[in-house]
Amino acid sequence: LHRYKSLKEIFKIPAIKLTANPLIAEYIKKHFSKEVIIGPDWESFQWAEDIAKHETNSLPDTKKEELIQLLPVSKESFFYDIYWLGIHVGEAALEASNNNGLIRITSRVNSDPFISAFYKVEDYAESNMINGKPSTFKTKQNEGKKRSDKETFFNIEKQTVLHINHIKETTDEHSINTDVLWDLLSGFYYLRTQNLNIGEAVYINIFDSNKFYQAEVQVIRKDTIKLLNEKEISAMLVKPILKSEGLFQN
């Protein structure tokens, strides 16, 4: 359910999302001491951390430092209309948020209802970073008759990465032989922290689609973006050269 913005996307009746995290934290505080809070997987880190925060009301300084470097705001959202030959064919959204050290980035692409009648597109990607390092990455792609459902788990401490292809039912584990490694989405946010010079290329170590490679990002020019409130912000136009399937199959 945490992948949906609102319960209205699931239920047609009035619904309210509740959390027991504060109550769990209160119970632990009353009945235990020197406890260790553990979640069943990497994705559960955010809820285990939330319980710990309610109990101790503190977070390590290192998390705050990494958070400032990768995402200096608590939340940001980008929404796009997609056109092909002047025809509106779909919409896309790129959103990122931080929750006391956990950075989550999601990408959604959906085709227009008219286009969906003969070529439906429903693509979703999600990246989670902990302490400024990637922890999980998942993609689900539905484009026409093509399907893809993959997950990647980064274990930075053990220097391993686990890739699961749910459709092909395969699991592969690899050793990480580089100091810094990113998935496609977290790599983009890492790129934003680098010094970009026009005419030069930046290279980022990427693991995607069960492969390691260096993604080349060409820095094209400076640009400006006009927001809905008429405010203009400075930007850099870049062109990534991918060597994998990326976020879209076509």
Side-chain angles (χ1 to χ4, degrees):
L1 294 178
H2 59 277
R3 297 190 183 95
Y4 293 89
K5 295 181 181 179
S6 170
L7 293 179
K8 293 180 180 179
E9 298 180 38
I10 306 172
F11 302 106
K12 295 182 179 180
I13 60 175
I16 300 175
K17 184 171 69 174
L18 303 176
T19 176
N21 287 352
L23 297 177
I24 295 174
E26 183 179 351
Y27 181 87
I28 293 174
K29 193 171 183 178
K30 288 181 178 179
H31 295 85
F32 299 94
S33 62
K34 297 182 180 180
E35 63 279 354
V36 177
I37 301 174
I38 300 175
D41 52 35
W42 278 104
E43 195 169 18
S44 66
F45 173 89
Q46 57 185 308
W47 294 286
E49 185 183 50
D50 186 57
I51 292 173
K53 179 184 176 184
H54 278 91
E55 185 187 359
T56 63
N57 294 319
S58 65
L59 285 173
D61 292 338
T62 54
K63 291 189 177 183
K64 297 178 182 178
E65 293 173 0
E66 294 289 356
L67 183 62
I68 293 174
Q69 293 177 3
L70 291 171
L71 189 61
V73 295
S74 61
K75 184 177 181 180
E76 66 178 15
S77 302
F78 300 92
F79 301 98
Y80 307 90
D81 288 308
I82 304 173
Y83 290 85
W84 181 69
L85 297 178
I87 302 174
H88 185 267
V89 296
E91 297 176 342
L94 177 63
E95 299 181 274
S97 63
N98 69 56
N99 181 12
N100 301 307
L102 173 66
I103 296 177
R104 167 170 293 176
I105 311 168
T106 61
S107 169
R108 299 176 186 270
V109 180
N110 296 94
S111 53
D112 183 91
F114 173 75
I115 299 297
S116 297
F118 54 90
Y119 192 89
K120 188 174 184 178
V121 174
E122 286 184 341
D123 289 350
Y124 176 80
E126 177 184 308
S127 173
N128 289 285
M129 292 180 285
I130 300 174
N131 294 339
K133 298 178 181 179
S135 60
T136 64
F137 179 66
K138 62 184 67 177
T139 59
K140 285 189 177 183
Q141 298 168 307
N142 296 314
E143 300 182 10
K145 295 182 179 180
K146 295 183 179 180
R147 299 289 184 272
S148 177
D149 187 354
K150 303 174 183 178
E151 281 189 278
T152 302
F153 298 87
F154 297 85
N155 191 325
I156 303 302
E157 292 184 358
K158 294 184 178 181
Q159 286 293 94
T160 60
V161 58
L162 183 70
H163 180 267
I164 302 174
N165 189 319
H166 292 290
I167 292 181
K168 294 183 178 180
E169 297 183 344
T170 58
T171 300
D172 298 285
E173 187 174 46
H174 307 274
S175 296
I176 299 176
N177 297 317
T178 182
D179 293 334
V180 183
L181 184 67
W182 307 96
D183 58 68
L184 283 176
L185 288 179
S186 63
F188 169 71
Y189 275 76
Y190 170 73
L191 173 68
R192 301 199 313 180
T193 69
Q194 304 303 295
N195 292 322
L196 303 178
N197 298 312
I198 299 173
E200 297 182 3
V202 179
Y203 295 89
I204 302 175
N205 295 318
I206 296 289
F207 182 86
D208 181 52
S209 300
N210 210 22
K211 298 178 182 178
F212 294 90
Y213 68 93
Q214 272 199 331
E216 177 184 352
V217 181
Q218 299 175 354
V219 183
I220 308 301
R221 65 173 187 270
K222 292 183 178 180
D223 209 336
T224 57
I225 299 175
K226 181 177 290 187
L227 305 179
L228 293 177
N229 60 5
E230 299 299 321
K231 180 181 178 181
E232 291 188 350
I233 58 175
S234 299
M236 295 289 284
L237 179 64
V238 299
K239 180 181 179 181
I241 310 298
L242 299 180
K243 299 179 182 178
S244 67
E245 294 180 1
L247 297 178
F248 317 108
Q249 294 193 22
N250 295 310

